[in-house]
Amino acid sequence: MMLPFVHRLRGVRRPLDPAGNNNETGASSKEEAKTSENDTYYPSCYDVLKVRYLLQHIWKWKRDSEELFPCELVDMIVDAADYWATSESSLEGETTIRKDQDQVLLTTVPLCYAVETLRSDSPQVLPHRGAHPCRKIMFTISAHDQGWGGGARNKGPYDGSFTWFDTQIIHSAQKPPPPREEPIQEKQRAHFESGDPLLLPSAHKLQSNRTADKNTQLHRITWHYLDDIPSDSSEAEEIENSQGRGRATLDGSQVRALEVGDAIQIWGRARFGGWINHVERVVVRVFWAV
């Protein structure tokens, strides 16, 4: 029974990008991204539990002893190997976001919940380790702006970009919304006033589009629980200018703070006349410790 399992452990895994972000241009990069994702092996909860069982018992089997390998050391081995359970949420097909027409592009599966049970009265919690089990979040975004406009871009290719993406944490997302006597009439905001925190891209943005570039950009962004780049550092400033990421998203705090049941919403935004956020694809994969 162990042979198929051993074979699965030898599956292909994507090497991590040291910079935490990988930007590519053009339609071919989108197809390559899909191919790469299809070729990547992501373990299930059951896979991780089997590996943990083997690691704990191999000590007993090899030493002919009743003593199991310590759980703390198993945790360290599994985390060092990035061998975590995952869930994926995706948006396929083009979405166009014009001036001040902010839009939720997708909401991830609540952390550590089985997606097929979310509509039931008792959604199933999947195996996890600790109250803050999230270890890594991978974002893949294919998008571009209108292809013209913007300033001199003295700080890099993202300088002066007014099309971008934000994240929002939804707590206890596995719970159904409370019943309301009257339906909520959602109104589209027509204008963001000066001083509004959502008027311009902030240090907490997920990703900006390249400024005035009509070619589709493929952005791969990775948040890791061990990230530790302070937002006020020169390294954070360099990443923000060269990669278009928010400088306040580089310290890993967003990942470490996620709790079981939390979900992540991805917002697409555009500001000022003529600016258009052309979104072609968004994929979010969330990893958690078991």
Side-chain angles (χ1 to χ4, degrees):
M1 292 179 62
M2 292 176 59
L3 287 178
F5 170 58
V6 173
H7 177 72
R8 283 204 69 185
L9 286 179
R10 297 169 59 187
V12 179
R13 301 182 66 211
R14 186 204 309 273
L16 295 179
D17 176 26
N21 198 29
N22 185 14
N23 301 329
E24 303 171 30
T25 305
S28 61
S29 63
K30 292 185 294 181
E31 297 304 321
E32 291 171 2
K34 291 184 179 181
T35 301
S36 176
E37 290 165 7
N38 292 335
D39 290 342
T40 302
Y41 161 63
Y42 295 108
S44 66
C45 272
Y46 185 49
D47 292 335
V48 180
L49 289 173
K50 286 191 291 186
V51 169
R52 292 186 61 89
Y53 178 86
L54 288 176
L55 289 173
Q56 282 190 282
H57 285 77
I58 196 170
W59 181 272
K60 175 181 177 180
W61 298 331
K62 290 292 185 180
R63 294 166 56 94
D64 193 20
S65 166
E66 293 301 318
E67 185 179 1
L68 297 178
F69 198 59
C71 287
E72 294 81 1
L73 294 181
V74 173
D75 293 345
M76 293 173 62
I77 293 171
V78 171
D79 285 345
D82 286 6
Y83 201 74
W84 302 311
T86 75
S87 65
E88 183 185 86
S89 305
S90 63
L91 168 73
E92 304 284 352
E94 184 164 348
T95 300
T96 301
I97 302 170
R98 300 180 183 274
K99 171 190 173 184
D100 295 345
Q101 295 180 355
D102 295 3
Q103 184 173 335
V104 175
L105 299 172
L106 67 79
T107 303
T108 64
V109 178
L111 182 61
C112 303
Y113 273 83
V115 63
E116 64 273 11
T117 68
L118 291 178
R119 295 184 179 275
S120 68
D121 294 333
S122 300
Q124 178 188 357
V125 182
L126 297 172
H128 60 276
R129 190 189 335 146
H132 300 273
C134 190
R135 292 294 184 266
K136 183 170 68 172
I137 306 171
M138 293 172 53
F139 305 89
T140 304
I141 300 174
S142 295
H144 63 91
D145 68 8
Q146 68 286 343
W148 54 269
R153 296 188 283 283
N154 296 323
K155 294 183 179 180
Y158 300 91
D159 189 20
S161 174
F162 297 113
T163 63
W164 75 97
F165 302 87
D166 281 334
T167 60
Q168 180 180 354
I169 305 302
I170 308 299
H171 298 294
S172 301
Q174 82 282 4
K175 298 180 180 179
R180 298 179 180 271
E181 296 181 359
E182 298 180 1
I184 299 176
Q185 298 294 328
E186 295 187 0
K187 295 183 179 180
Q188 179 64 54
R189 296 180 69 167
H191 182 66
F192 287 81
E193 300 292 341
S194 176
D196 191 308
L198 297 179
L199 175 63
L200 298 174
S202 74
H204 295 275
K205 68 183 177 183
L206 173 62
Q207 179 69 49
S208 287
N209 285 321
R210 282 178 176 262
T211 306
D213 191 338
K214 66 180 180 180
N215 296 309
T216 299
Q217 306 295 317
L218 173 61
H219 297 282
R220 293 190 181 100
I221 308 106
T222 300
W223 291 357
H224 197 281
Y225 80 113
L226 295 179
D227 289 345
D228 60 354
I229 302 176
S231 60
D232 58 354
S233 65
S234 59
E235 186 177 1
E237 181 180 10
E238 169 61 24
I239 291 174
E240 184 174 59
N241 292 336
S242 64
Q243 299 182 13
R245 295 181 58 182
R247 61 190 303 159
T249 65
L250 306 173
D251 62 0
S253 60
Q254 306 94 323
V255 179
R256 294 189 294 270
L258 283 180
E259 300 179 351
V260 175
D262 287 352
I264 304 171
Q265 281 189 340
I266 308 298
W267 284 80
R269 306 191 192 278
R271 292 291 176 270
F272 308 121
W275 287 84
I276 304 174
N277 193 346
H278 296 276
V279 185
E280 298 183 3
R281 185 169 183 255
V282 179
V283 181
V284 182
R285 183 173 288 274
V286 180
F287 298 73
W288 73 90
V290 176

